[in-house]
Amino acid sequence: MMLDEKFLKFIFVGIINTLVGTAIMFGLYNLAGCSYWLSSAANYFFTSILSYALNRRFTFQYRGKLLQSGARFAGNIAACYLIAYGVAKPLVCWLLENDRMSLQENVAMLAGMCIFTGLNYIGQRFFVFGEEIMEYQKIYREWMESPYVSDEDKQQMKEMSDKDIYEAFYQYVAFGTAGMRGVMGLGTNRINKYTIRMAAKGLAQLLGKGSKVAIAYDTRNNSADFAEETARVLAAAGIKALVFDRYSPVPLLSFAIRELKCDGGVVITASHNTKEYNGFKVYDNTGCQMNTDLAGQIAGHIAKLADGLAAEVSAREHENIEYIGEEVIEKFLDAVQKCSMGIGQETAANLNIIYTPLHGSGKDFVMETLRRAGFENVTLVQEQAGYDGDFPTVKKPNPEDRNAFHIAEEIAVQKKADILLGTDPDCDRIGAGVRADGQIVYLTGNQMGTLLIDFLARMRPSGGKQLITTIVTSDMGKAVAKSYGVDVMETLTGFKYIGDRMNRMEEAQYFMGYEESYGYLPGTHARDKDGVSAALLICQMAAYWKAQGKTLADVLQELYEKHGYWIDAQESFTFEGSEGSRKIAAIMETFRQNASIFSEIGEMKAVFDYNKEIDGLPPSNVLKFVLEGGSWIAIRPSGTEPKIKFYYCITGRDEQKTCEIYDMAKAIVRNAIAG
C-alpha cells in the first residue's frame, strides 16, 4: 500500500527538503549565476544527505546496516537525479521554446525537483529501506492470512499502527537459558498463545514422545491459559503433562520435577516484571533451569518449525494431561521445614511479622510454612493478598523495590512489627525490612545474604562446605563465609548456574546459594531460588537475634565493624523496544572500549570482560571493573527486561570515604549514559 503513514511522513520530509533545496538551487542559479546543471547538482548533493538522514530515522525507521543502506541510497539518488533533471530540461524547453532561457531553466529545475521527489520516494521505500520493512510486514501478513489465528486476534492486528507492527514482528521473542519472557500481545516478538505453542512444540521435540513434564503458573494475567496451551501441545506430541491445579511458586515446580521424576518442567511467569509481561521458563530433569546447550536446542527446533502457528494441540481433556494437587504440595512443605534452624516455639511466637505476597502465588505457602514453624504473630497484608495479575496496589510487584512495601510499611509501623516480608508473583524472590529505632530499615539482597551466611554458620557446622554465589554479588558475604571456613564458589549471574553447580556436588557439601537480586536457597530440595524457605530462615534469624535484644540492622552493623564497611547497590536504566536494544548495546560498547573510565576514583586493578572465558565460566556479556582495595563496578544487560544494570560493591574502613567513592562511581555511570 503506497498511500499510508510512511507516505505522509515522506511528504513531511519532502517539504523540508524542498525548502532547503529551493534555497540552494534557485539561489545559486538566480543570485550566484551558476549553471542549470551546477545549481541542480548542488541541490541534489546537500538535500540528498538530509533526505537520507531524515527518512532513515523518521519515515522508514530503518534498523538495518548503515553502510549497506547508504550504498543503496547513493545509487538510488544518482539514478533519480539523472532521470529527473535529464528529462525535465528538454521537456520544459520544448514546451516553452519561445520563452527566455532563464525562465525555461527555472521551470525545469522546479519540474525536476517534483519528478525527483516522486522517484526518490519509490526508490527509498522499495530499494533503499525496503528489505527489512518488507520482511516484518510479510510475517504480519502471514499471521493475518493464517487459518490458525482467530478472527478476534486478526481484528486486533488490523488496528495496529505500522510502528506497532514493526515492534511486534521485527523479531521472534528470544529463547534463552531462562526460556522466553516479554510483553504480552499479538506478534512474534510478544508473549501470546501462539508463541507459547511454538515454545512448547520446541520443548516437545527436544524431549520426545513418552516424556513427562511438570507445568506450573503464577498469578499473572493469562498465566493459567498459557499453562493450558503448553499442556495441550505437549499432550498432542505424546508427552505426559502434569499441571498444577492452583497458582504455584517456582521452587514448588523445581521440587516437583525431582519428586515426580519428570524429564523437564515449565513455569508460566515473568517473575517480578510489570503486569504487561509474561514468560515461559524451562527446567531440566534436575529441577534446574535449562542450560545453554539444551535451551539452544529448543530454540533451534522452534526456528525450524515449518509453520509455528500450526502447532498441534490436543483437546482440553486428554489422557496425557493430569493435575498435581495436595500430595506433592505437602511433600514440598515438609522439605521446606527441613531447612529450619530449630528455633524454639516461644522464641518464634514472640516475633511480630507482616507479610505481603504482592498479589502473587506465595501467599498460602509462606503463611503455612511460618505457621508450622511456630510463628503465631503473622499479619497478612489483605490489600495485596488477592490473586490479581494487574497488581493494582503497586507499580512493580518487585520486593527489590521498597515502594512495593508502602502498604505493608504502614501496617508494620502501626503494629510495631519486628519485620516485614514480601515475595514476588512467582515467589522465588523475597525482600525484607526491619523496625529499628522506630523506623523501617530495608535490607538489600546482598545484606540479607550476608546476614543469612552469618546466621547459618553460627547455627550449624559449616567448615569446608560450599557457598555458591555470583560474580555480581557483594564480596562482603564471601568475606563473612570465609571467616567461618566456608568455601566460596562464583558463577555467572542467574540461579541456573547456581543450580548447575549444586548438581555437581554432594548434598552434604552444600552450604547455601544466593545472589544479590533477592534470591536465596538454603536447602537442597530445589534447584532454583526459593522465597518460601527463605521466609522461614529470615524469620528464624530475626527471632533468634530479637531474643538477644538485637535487630537485623544491629547485627549488620556489627558485621561491618568486623569485616569493613561496604556499600552494595544496584541501579538499572530502562530502554524499551528495538531502539532500546541498540541503546543498551551501545552503552556496553562504550564501557568496553574505555577500560580506564573509573580510574579517577581509584587505581584500576583489573578489568574483566566475561565475553571471553574467565575462570572457566562460559562467555557472558558482563564487564567488571576492579579497583585496588577491593571495590568494583559491574555492568550487564538484563536477560529478562529491557534494562542495563550497574552493580556497585564499594568497600573501605572509612564510611564517609566509601560513600564519596560510591557517589563518584554513580556520577561517572550517569554521565556515560547521558552521553
Side-chain angles (χ1 to χ4, degrees), residues 537-557:
L537 265 293
I538 290 170
C539 288
Q540 288 191 329
M541 176 172 62
Y544 171 83
W545 287 116
K546 181 180 181 181
Q548 299 184 43
K550 300 177 183 179
T551 68
L552 295 183
D554 296 329
V555 179
L556 184 63
Q557 189 59 43

Side-chain angles (χ1 to χ4, degrees), residues 67-128:
L67 185 61
Q68 186 179 41
S69 63
R72 288 202 298 258
F73 184 83
N76 173 68
I77 289 293
C80 291
Y81 172 73
L82 292 173
I83 294 171
Y85 290 100
V87 168
K89 186 170 183 180
L91 179 63
V92 170
C93 288
W94 175 68
L95 292 172
L96 304 177
E97 60 180 338
N98 295 323
D99 293 294
R100 65 182 186 276
M101 180 60 67
S102 61
L103 176 62
Q104 291 179 10
E105 291 189 335
N106 270 292
V107 173
M109 285 189 290
L110 180 62
M113 181 176 288
C114 294
I115 298 170
F116 175 84
T117 299
L119 293 174
N120 187 26
Y121 172 65
I122 296 171
Q124 285 193 36
R125 179 157 191 174
F126 296 106
F127 174 63
V128 180

Side-chain angles (χ1 to χ4, degrees), residues 305-570:
L305 292 174
D307 182 359
L309 294 170
E312 184 182 358
V313 295
S314 74
R316 285 179 168 80
E317 300 294 330
H318 191 276
E319 61 182 1
N320 282 337
I321 299 177
E322 297 178 4
Y323 293 91
I324 303 173
E326 287 296 335
E327 183 178 355
V328 171
I329 291 170
E330 278 299 315
K331 289 182 178 180
F332 170 72
L333 293 172
D334 289 343
V336 167
Q337 288 300 320
K338 292 178 182 177
C339 298
S340 172
M341 289 295 104
I343 302 300
Q345 181 81 22
E346 184 178 343
T347 301
N350 194 38
L351 190 71
N352 188 348
I353 305 165
I354 308 296
Y355 168 61
T356 173
L358 298 178
H359 305 286
S361 62
K363 177 180 65 174
D364 294 336
F365 296 89
V366 171
M367 292 295 288
E368 178 61 15
T369 291
L370 295 180
R371 187 194 67 77
R372 293 186 182 193
F375 292 99
E376 300 173 359
N377 194 2
V378 183
T379 300
L380 178 67
V381 178
Q382 293 296 335
E383 296 90 333
Q384 297 176 323
Y387 300 132
D388 191 335
D390 285 331
F391 311 119
T393 63
V394 290
K395 289 183 178 179
K396 293 183 289 186
N398 186 356
E400 296 177 74
D401 181 2
R402 64 183 55 187
N403 292 321
F405 287 95
H406 68 286
I407 298 175
E409 183 174 327
E410 289 181 9
I411 298 171
V413 171
Q414 178 187 352
K415 289 183 171 289
K416 297 183 179 179
D418 300 303
I419 190 167
L420 59 157
L421 306 173
T423 52
D424 62 349
D426 61 351
C427 197
D428 58 354
R429 282 177 169 82
I430 184 168
V434 296
R435 189 164 57 89
D437 299 325
Q439 296 182 328
I440 301 300
V441 177
Y442 291 95
L443 299 168
T444 68
N446 281 311
Q447 291 170 335
M448 184 59 76
T450 298
L451 287 164
L452 284 170
I453 290 167
D454 177 69
F455 176 63
L456 294 179
R458 288 173 183 269
M459 301 299 290
R460 67 187 185 193
S462 302
K465 291 192 174 186
Q466 291 190 329
L467 170 72
I468 311 176
T469 186
T470 75
I471 58 173
V472 297
T473 300
S474 168
D475 287 349
M476 183 181 181
K478 301 163 193 174
V480 172
K482 290 175 181 177
S483 73
Y484 285 102
V486 176
D487 297 329
V488 177
M489 183 183 297
E490 287 189 345
T491 72
L492 293 176
T493 309
F495 230 87
K496 54 185 171 284
Y497 296 109
I498 294 176
D500 178 62
R501 289 295 182 94
M502 289 177 69
N503 286 334
R504 296 193 232 164
M505 67 171 63
E506 297 292 331
E507 288 195 355
Q509 287 182 278
Y510 181 71
F511 175 74
M512 188 180 82
Y514 86 108
E515 56 186 1
E516 50 72 40
S517 56
Y518 293 58
Y520 318 94
L521 180 60
T524 57
H525 57 286
R527 292 294 184 270
D528 207 344
K529 50 188 173 284
D530 181 5
V532 182
S533 60
L536 170 64
L537 265 293
I538 290 170
C539 288
Q540 288 191 329
M541 176 172 62
Y544 171 83
W545 287 116
K546 181 180 181 181
Q548 299 184 43
K550 300 177 183 179
T551 68
L552 295 183
D554 296 329
V555 179
L556 184 63
Q557 189 59 43
E558 290 176 359
L559 292 173
Y560 284 145
E561 292 169 3
K562 182 177 180 180
H563 297 280
Y565 188 77
W566 301 71
I567 294 178
D568 297 298
Q570 180 208 120

